Amino acid sequence: MTPDREKLHLKACSQGDLTYSDPRTGYPVFTALALERRGDCCGCGCRHCPYGHQEVTPDERAMLHRDPWIEGDLPKGPVDLLFWSGGKDSYLTLRALEREAARPTVLLTTFDGRSEQVAHQEVLVQEIRHQRKRLGCAQVLVPLFPGTGYMDRVLLGIQTLQFRTPVARLVFGDLHLDHVRTWREDAFSACSDIASIPIHLPLWGVPYEELLNDLESAPVQARVSAVADESCAQVISVGDLFNRDLIARLPNGIDEFGENGEFHSCIEFLPKT
């Protein structure tokens, strides 16, 4: 989809319009607001399907340039928008926000629009959607496609949320890498439409022992979902539980939380007792 179409659609939605005119053909196009009135996906591959084209066949869905969409009931008033990968750091960040109790949290997840995998975590977005249901919060899902910039798609996802509810803070689970923090601050401040939204890093500089204690007290466990470092691959495998025993096996020089991308994790919920 061209940037002009995206802007026209966002403008139409912000005005509460149910259609807009395609700039190339002049034909009317239903907005996501109009399609939401159906209550579910019709399976026809509508341009602005607000349900992620879930009733379109997987093969056909993989060929569509899908808009970001929202799942779950949005809370009223301003929200914190947490960038959610489904791993331990994301989950610990959510727990930190819950302790702050400043405002409701909405999740935002980016994933490959063709394979439907979440980058780095190497898990299917369906697993991330299942996490959202267990957590009971709303989620913005942002498919990424070749030839479209990451920040352009993230901005579209944020704007998709903004015409429904204000965003108070952009929240990330970064722990201590200065270059990652600097990149985020520079990249998001360069987007004029969202430059005024502050970035919040609740876990920044928190000692690992404190994070481990918090994870151990939580109703979840984290498993390794991907191993990128060759030395790590000699001692840990996909499916291993992330715990103190795993940390003790890590080679010297490897970050205990895999903050340098050495390995990644995905949380799973423990059975209710």
Side-chain angles (χ1 to χ4, degrees), residues 75 78-82 94 97-98 103-107 137-139 171:
V79 299
D80 284 333
L81 185 59
L82 169 58
L94 179 60
L97 290 175
E98 290 172 344
R103 60 187 61 83
T105 300
V106 173
L107 312 180
C137 53
Q139 183 174 40
V171 186

Side-chain angles (χ1 to χ4, degrees), residues 94-127:
L94 179 60
R95 282 173 64 86
L97 290 175
E98 290 172 344
R99 288 191 292 270
E100 290 179 8
R103 60 187 61 83
T105 300
V106 173
L107 312 180
L108 183 146
T109 299
T110 61
F111 64 97
D112 185 283
R114 301 292 186 238
S115 68
E116 302 211 335
Q117 276 200 330
V118 177
H120 307 302
Q121 257 62 26
E122 300 301 324
V123 297
L124 291 174
V125 72
Q126 181 63 27
E127 175 63 25

